[in-house]
Amino acid sequence: MRKVILYIAMSLDGYIADINGNVEWLDGYDSEDSYSEFVKDIDTVIMGNKTYRQIVTELSPNEWIYKDFTSYVITHDIACQYENVVFYSGSPSTLIRDIIESDGKNIWICGGADIVRQLLSDGLIDIFHISVIPVILGGGVRLFADIDKKIKLKLLKEKVCNEIIEIIYEISVLFP
């Protein structure tokens, strides 16, 4: 069965973007080996509009970096400029439930925090693969803000690579 995996980087204090919504603080930290291994089992990427805009304006303005996957952008602003990118205006949970029913590899939740919150609320994230970057931002977009459930996790793996601590957990118990 397909797994839904949150694969994301966050600062040591739990932020995925700084107070201005930027991620330049990630520059200089590389976990390419981990990424290459991770994407072998992925065929679908899901992200919000802010993440999409950040990719196409800052991170890779000349080329869609996820061209080998089917990408879904959850947004009400439909403006596609790349092949294999689907703009979806419904609920992230509905989209995940529909995709899980089809054949394929695992599903990568790429960002952002609001999508993570909604999927956690509905118990739809199976694995957390988080790269903790040795930076303290002091404010910004918190990865796990306003989660309405207590979630017990089971550690599957941890690894240190280029000063980054990668932790992989699966959900053990989802409390109401």
Side-chain angles (χ1 to χ4, degrees):
M1 184 161 158
R2 299 175 89 167
K3 297 277 188 190
V4 178
I5 303 171
L6 172 63
Y7 180 89
I8 201 163
M10 73 176 187
S11 65
L12 182 61
D13 53 347
Y15 296 99
I16 59 173
D18 68 19
I19 201 155
N20 296 313
N22 297 319
V23 294
E24 76 277 343
W25 53 274
L26 291 168
D27 291 346
Y29 294 100
D30 183 21
S31 59
E32 188 61 37
D33 292 342
S34 173
Y35 176 80
S36 298
E37 189 63 32
F38 170 72
V39 296
K40 289 179 184 176
D41 296 323
I42 298 296
D43 67 2
T44 305
V45 179
I46 296 176
M47 68 190 71
N49 191 44
K50 289 178 189 172
T51 302
Y52 171 77
R53 297 270 176 235
Q54 199 162 49
I55 291 168
V56 299
T57 60
E58 295 175 42
L59 303 176
S60 182
N62 300 319
E63 175 186 23
W64 182 241
I65 56 177
Y66 302 128
K67 62 182 174 267
D68 295 332
F69 313 109
T70 300
S71 299
Y72 291 88
V73 179
I74 299 171
T75 181
H76 296 290
D77 178 25
I78 310 296
C80 184
Q81 60 184 5
Y82 297 103
E83 230 179 281
N84 292 337
V85 177
V86 177
F87 285 77
Y88 180 82
S89 63
S91 153
S93 297
T94 300
L95 176 61
I96 291 291
R97 287 184 185 108
D98 289 346
I99 295 171
I100 286 174
E101 295 299 317
S102 63
D103 290 334
K105 295 181 178 182
N106 293 332
I107 302 160
W108 171 15
I109 306 304
C110 181
D114 190 49
I115 290 170
V116 170
R117 183 189 52 74
Q118 290 176 61
L119 294 176
L120 280 175
S121 181
D122 290 336
L124 291 171
I125 295 178
D126 301 304
I127 305 285
F128 299 80
H129 187 142
I130 300 172
S131 296
V132 180
I133 309 300
V135 172
I136 296 173
L137 297 176
V141 179
R142 187 169 293 281
L143 178 56
F144 297 116
D146 303 319
I147 303 297
D148 64 354
K149 298 201 181 316
K150 291 181 184 174
I151 302 166
K152 185 173 181 179
L153 304 173
K154 177 183 174 190
L155 182 66
L156 298 177
K157 184 178 178 182
E158 79 284 339
K159 179 173 119 177
V160 177
C161 179
N162 299 329
E163 298 185 13
I164 299 169
I165 298 173
E166 294 183 16
I167 47 178
I168 303 172
Y169 290 99
E170 69 180 353
I171 289 186
S172 173
V173 178
L174 183 65
F175 299 98

